Amino acid sequence: MVARRRLLRATLDLGAKERERLAARGIVVVTDGDRLRGVELAEGHVVPCSAVFVFPHMAPHDTLLTGLGRERGPNGWVTTDDAGRTSVFGVWAVGNVSHATALVITAAGQGAAAAFALNHDLVAEDVERAVKDADSSSREPRQVPGPAPRGATSD
């Protein structure tokens, strides 16, 4: 979060909780009216700055997944396997709904891996269905001639 500056098109104020957390570490936010001027460190030195970055509270926005009955791990995030499969058949989750530290590039990579695994699962399902539907007695194996041996000539 950026304090007292524009983040996209919104201006975000440094909240009381963030100020309390900074103060607990000996850091005081120095303002002039509504403008950030710097931060005062525990030893009294003021560092001029125009922005303050604080660690955001990470929380999964998983209402849709909650409604589907998926499981949460002990960390509170959606439980998935390495490919993104959840505990609900046919439901996949990637990015910061399943991993607190997944930034955009990580989420994109996880999405690509999930798409690959999802495609594999769909093809495997189609093959299984085709095998079950096939009449095994009517499908005799057949011989297919291989390539001619090297050096062989045809008459």
Side-chain angles (χ1 to χ4, degrees):
M1 174 174 19
V2 177
R4 302 276 186 211
R5 299 301 275 170
R6 290 182 196 200
L7 178 62
L8 300 176
R9 289 182 293 169
T11 300
L12 301 176
D13 288 330
L14 190 62
K17 185 174 183 176
E18 288 86 6
R19 286 179 184 272
E20 176 185 23
R21 294 176 64 80
L22 289 170
R25 301 288 310 267
I27 301 169
V28 177
V29 177
V30 178
T31 59
D32 180 11
D34 66 347
R35 295 197 52 92
L36 175 67
R37 295 297 178 197
V39 291
E40 182 178 339
L41 305 179
E43 70 276 357
H45 178 75
V46 175
V47 178
C49 61
S50 59
V52 174
F53 298 86
V54 295
F55 190 79
H57 171 71
M58 305 299 274
H61 297 282
D62 59 357
T63 305
L64 174 65
L65 296 170
T66 303
L68 294 174
R70 59 69 188 137
E71 294 176 5
R72 279 188 178 173
N75 61 2
W77 297 82
V78 175
T79 303
T80 66
D81 68 6
D82 290 340
R85 291 177 192 90
T86 69
S87 58
V88 177
F89 178 77
V91 177
W92 301 68
V94 297
N96 62 10
V97 74
S98 60
H99 299 85
T101 59
L103 301 175
V104 172
I105 193 67
T106 306
Q110 291 172 343
F116 180 83
L118 176 60
N119 186 61
H120 176 271
D121 286 0
L122 291 172
V123 170
E125 186 179 307
D126 285 348
V127 169
E128 288 299 316
R129 186 178 302 116
V131 168
K132 287 179 183 176
D133 292 346
D135 180 11
S136 61
S137 63
S138 67
R139 298 182 68 83
E140 293 291 324
R142 58 186 175 124
Q143 284 284 9
V144 177
R150 281 188 153 185
T153 59
S154 61
D155 294 331

